[in-house]
Amino acid sequence: MENTYVYEFGDSLYFNLTNRCPNNCEFCLRRFKEGVSGNRLWLTKEPTFEEIERDLSRFTLSKYREAVFCGFGEPTCNLEMLLMVAKYLKEKGCKTRLNTNGLGNLVNEGQDVAKLIAPYIDFVSISLNASTAEGYDRICHSRFGKEAFGAMLQFARDCVAAGIDTTMSVVDIIGRDEIEACEKVVNSTGAKLRVRATIDENTEY
């Protein structure tokens, strides 16, 4: 079965670099979907740069609003490829966005991921989803345990400091009080808050 590394969604072009992820979030799309918009996003292998270039040849980059790193895994789990492709896209004049759980520094121990991506990534969207370390651990089941929440907040601060337009998102299902608590957490990092609709098994793509 052919792997989907590059796919369209809405008016953007998406890059699916890995299925690896340190979290197992309760609401994660891959718990109940094979992919989006008819694209199967489970991979049998991670891409080479040549495979990304090959798949890109089927698309006209200038027609898309932005290029987004978001697939069925955490993009920073394949940091080397993320940097290579993002650099290539920026050289082509693309706006770039990284959708992430914000745990790249833990995944890539010893690396300052915000500093590494800053030359190539215009926008970062970080999944927050809880206002406390306990709540985050309960929802996201990170292999890093309660260390994950603080690392994610620090990554948001690092991205803001690096000059990246940074948003932290929550799903609407968590309720008004928790959304308000999350907003205070987001404000403490200098990022912006986005409340996104919950995706479930009945959501159509």
Side-chain angles (χ1 to χ4, degrees):
M1 184 177 295
E2 185 176 358
N3 290 306
T4 300
Y5 300 127
V6 184
Y7 64 102
E8 292 178 307
F9 187 63
D11 58 1
S12 299
L13 195 62
Y14 280 66
F15 293 80
N16 181 34
L17 303 182
T18 184
N19 287 162
R20 290 179 285 158
C21 185
N23 287 1
N24 184 22
C25 298
E26 294 285 348
F27 48 79
C28 184
L29 177 67
R30 67 185 193 173
R31 280 178 173 251
F32 42 80
K33 297 279 188 180
E34 291 291 307
V36 297
S37 297
N39 298 294
R40 189 178 188 277
L41 299 182
W42 287 114
L43 302 177
T44 59
K45 63 177 287 294
E46 293 182 351
T48 64
F49 185 74
E50 290 71 26
E51 286 170 325
I52 293 289
E53 281 190 304
R54 179 204 64 199
D55 285 7
L56 266 177
S57 68
R58 303 199 298 262
F59 302 93
T60 302
L61 280 173
S62 59
K63 69 179 279 193
Y64 299 102
R65 181 170 60 90
E66 60 183 349
V68 184
F69 293 94
C70 178
F72 256 18
E74 165 53 41
T76 61
C77 286
N78 195 355
L79 183 60
E80 182 179 4
M81 187 58 58
L82 167 62
L83 294 171
M84 289 176 64
V85 177
K87 181 176 185 292
Y88 175 86
L89 293 169
K90 288 307 294 179
E91 290 171 348
K92 297 290 185 181
C94 295
K95 289 290 186 183
T96 55
R97 171 160 57 96
L98 169 64
N99 288 1
T100 178
N101 57 30
L103 302 181
N105 287 350
L106 293 180
V107 171
N108 301 278
E109 188 176 353
Q111 301 272 28
D112 184 342
V113 173
K115 183 177 180 180
L116 291 172
I117 67 173
Y120 316 119
I121 297 293
D122 298 297
F123 307 98
V124 166
S125 178
I126 303 168
S127 296
L128 174 60
N129 296 320
S131 62
T132 65
E134 292 76 16
Y136 184 88
D137 189 52
R138 185 168 58 251
I139 294 170
C140 297
H141 307 291
S142 178
R143 68 179 172 88
F144 296 113
K146 292 181 181 177
E147 182 184 4
F149 187 74
M152 177 257 297
L153 296 183
Q154 186 58 52
F155 179 72
R157 296 185 193 99
D158 292 345
C159 287
V160 171
I164 305 171
D165 191 332
T166 307
T167 298
M168 304 187 81
S169 67
V170 297
V171 288
D172 54 11
I173 197 173
I174 65 177
R176 181 176 176 180
D177 289 347
E178 178 65 356
I179 289 173
E180 290 179 355
C182 286
E183 185 172 17
K184 293 178 181 178
V185 172
V186 172
N187 289 342
S188 75
T189 70
K192 295 172 288 188
L193 174 69
R194 181 172 75 90
V195 180
R196 67 186 193 275
T198 304
I199 298 170
D200 62 27
E201 62 269 21
N202 298 312
T203 303
E204 295 294 334
Y205 288 94

